Amino acid sequence: MEFPETQIHWRAQSFSVRKSSRGHEVRSAATVLAREFKLDGVAEFTYGPGVHVLADQFPKVFMTVPPALPKSRQQLILAVLMLCSLLIWLENTVLSTTLETLADPARGLGASPGQLQWATGSYTLAFATLMFTAGALGDRFGHRTVFSSGLVIFAGSSLWAAYASDVGQLIAARAVMGMGSALITPAMMAILMWTFTGPARAAAIGVFSTSAGVGMAAGPVLAGFLLDHFWWGSVFLVNVPVAALTLVGLAVLVPNFRSPTRRPLDPAGMLLSIGGLVALAYGLIRAGQVAAWTRADVWAPIVVGLALLAVFVLVELRVKAPSFDPRLFARRAFGGGNVALGLLLFGVAAITFYNAFYLQGALGFSPMKAGLANIPTAVGALVGAPLASRLVRSLPLRLVAVPALTVAALTMGGYGFLGLQTPLVWIETLLLIQGLAVGMVIGPVTAALISDLPLEQAGAGSAVTNTVRQTGSVIGIAVGGTIMSITYRRTIEPSLDGTPGPVQDQARVSAEQARHVATTAHKPSLAQAADDAFIHAMHVGAGWIAGIALVGAVVLLIALPAAGKKKGPTPEPGHEEARSSDARAAATPD
């Protein structure tokens, strides 16, 4: 059923006049038509020229254009959202530059590789498992309310992380920061969709997406500057004033948009997914700490984690309106495409983990120099995404994405040829090509997966896609770090003969610990052995990572059709997520 926009407002006005004597308050045209036609589910959205009622097998949903905000206020709201998006992207990138400092016993916390894996993964883990619940909270309590709550949590946990006295506190603070980001991200995109309509929305999404590129490029450089001039906690402390400024902007400028239809919160699914991923990640990281896979404290958590995730899938299959819908994986393109993206993000997270220790640890770069050295990755990603969007206008997506994913996997394998004497120009070239290839995959594939879903499944599809990508990152850090730890420990063992027991124990932990103890014990040969062992471990890990990413390219080759229908310009992921039946998107456009 469709109603022209003029008829919607005429009916709303007429209904308001007829019912005013009875004390009814008519809030919208959608509510009017729901009462007139006795339809069962009502929701308003900021897209579409009229009101649409979906087929009978789905809840009936109205979509109508709300009163437009003044253009000046829209622009200020966009500025506030971009500031917050920049904050999130900065946080996603600064830690990679800080890992080497945190591992240093003198300048940081003396963190082991396993602890650093948790410091990185706890944030992503909380973000991945809470994000789809956050969208339902926004529908229920208002997106500004949830957004503001997320910012308060994010700022408070940043302050906690900045002054953490040990690695355990840092890991806990990072997990809470992930919770804050999970509340912020869906609400941020929902507010963007509610604020802008028509062609202005596409323009706003384009401007908004630039904050991701700025954050990717500026994060490592900002972290490098802070680490060169202040203590390691300054990379977290800088979040607090930015979050405070964003909170003021939200309170002054942004209405508390919400959907009239409340979606279930799915607490069982949330607890099962968190428990499963935490147990799985613990087992994988623990394997690197004890250098064995046969111990019960390694394989038992892995088995429990896989079992909990299996139960999670079964529970979601029985829910009428699941937040994470496993049924979507039955669609060949959607299921295969998400598996490929998950494997790609697995490789990206793992190789980024290696890169932090290679540049600052093995090569001895300062944090600032390491941050500047990573700029080509961000530049490549910024060029790759729009380049791929243009190419898929005239070429099948498979012909663009599969070669790009293959090249991305090969660049990860390229770390197997880097050494202590590799010229910087070759490292920069490798990072540039890697960023370009990754950018050419994530943007167009994500857009295609969401746009190919029916309207009523777009919101669930967005939640699935983002959860799979974040899960791939968590597992990538766990597996990649574990491979590096086990290989490093086996490689450096022969070099420890004849050294005192405490020196051996510290040198086995990591190359950073070995360099530190070599300096204090005046054993330069031990520092050289640690560098050589790390380079060998990086080469072995890079081979495994490249192989897993290549599996993603094969999956994408099978999943995507050989030739697509001729379409107009491929929409950006954020634009497609605007079609979601809950009027929100679950992630920032790539």
Side-chain angles (χ1 to χ4, degrees), residues 364-377:
F365 284 10
S366 69
M368 174 62 82
K369 187 176 181 180
L372 292 172
N374 280 302
I375 288 181
T377 305

Side-chain angles (χ1 to χ4, degrees), residues 258-554:
R258 74 179 74 194
S259 171
T261 301
R262 294 185 176 184
R263 291 184 293 121
L265 297 180
D266 193 15
M270 182 181 68
L271 293 176
L272 286 169
S273 60
I274 292 174
L277 286 175
V278 168
L280 179 60
Y282 175 83
L284 294 172
I285 293 174
R286 183 62 179 162
Q289 294 173 324
V290 300
W293 293 90
T294 55
R295 291 177 45 147
D297 58 347
V298 172
W299 61 261
I302 294 176
V303 171
V304 170
L306 293 174
L308 288 175
L309 291 176
V311 174
F312 165 68
V313 171
L314 294 176
V315 168
E316 295 299 289
L317 287 172
R318 298 174 66 89
V319 176
K320 183 178 180 181
S323 299
F324 182 97
D325 193 352
R327 301 174 188 86
L328 295 178
F329 284 96
R331 303 173 66 94
R332 174 178 160 184
F334 186 86
N338 272 290
V339 170
L341 286 178
L343 293 174
L344 173 62
L345 269 295
F346 172 100
V348 169
I351 212 68
T352 301
F353 192 75
Y354 288 7
N355 179 65
F357 299 106
Y358 173 63
L359 293 179
Q360 295 184 58
L363 298 186
F365 284 10
S366 69
M368 174 62 82
K369 187 176 181 180
L372 292 172
N374 280 302
I375 288 181
T377 305
V379 172
L382 287 174
V383 173
L387 175 61
S389 295
R390 291 187 180 92
L391 289 175
V392 297
R393 295 173 185 175
S394 55
L395 297 173
L397 177 60
R398 185 165 76 165
L399 197 59
V400 175
V402 173
L405 182 48
T406 303
V407 171
L410 294 177
T411 61
M412 296 171 192
Y415 276 72
F417 298 95
L418 300 180
L420 297 175
Q421 305 302 324
T422 303
L424 181 59
V425 64
W426 291 113
I427 300 173
E428 299 291 83
T429 302
L430 182 69
L431 294 177
L432 178 64
I433 297 173
Q434 184 179 104
L436 182 69
V438 171
M440 291 183 68
V441 177
I442 294 180
V445 171
T446 302
L449 296 183
I450 300 300
S451 63
D452 282 345
L453 291 176
L455 175 63
E456 68 280 354
Q457 292 181 312
S462 175
V464 169
T465 297
N466 284 282
T467 302
V468 168
R469 284 161 49 177
Q470 298 297 331
T471 301
S473 297
V474 172
I475 304 302
I477 293 168
V479 173
T482 295
I483 293 173
M484 183 178 69
S485 296
I486 292 176
T487 308
Y488 166 81
R489 194 170 301 179
R490 291 174 178 173
T491 305
I492 200 172
E493 194 65 41
S495 303
L496 300 179
D497 292 339
T499 58
V503 173
Q504 291 187 22
D505 293 340
Q506 194 167 354
R508 289 190 187 101
V509 173
S510 66
E512 288 69 33
Q513 297 275 6
R515 295 187 195 103
H516 177 75
V517 74
T519 300
T520 57
H522 305 290
K523 292 181 175 294
S525 60
L526 179 59
Q528 182 61 46
D531 287 341
D532 293 338
F534 169 79
I535 292 297
H536 176 68
M538 184 178 72
H539 291 172
V540 172
W544 282 98
I545 293 166
I548 292 170
L550 281 173
V551 172
V554 174

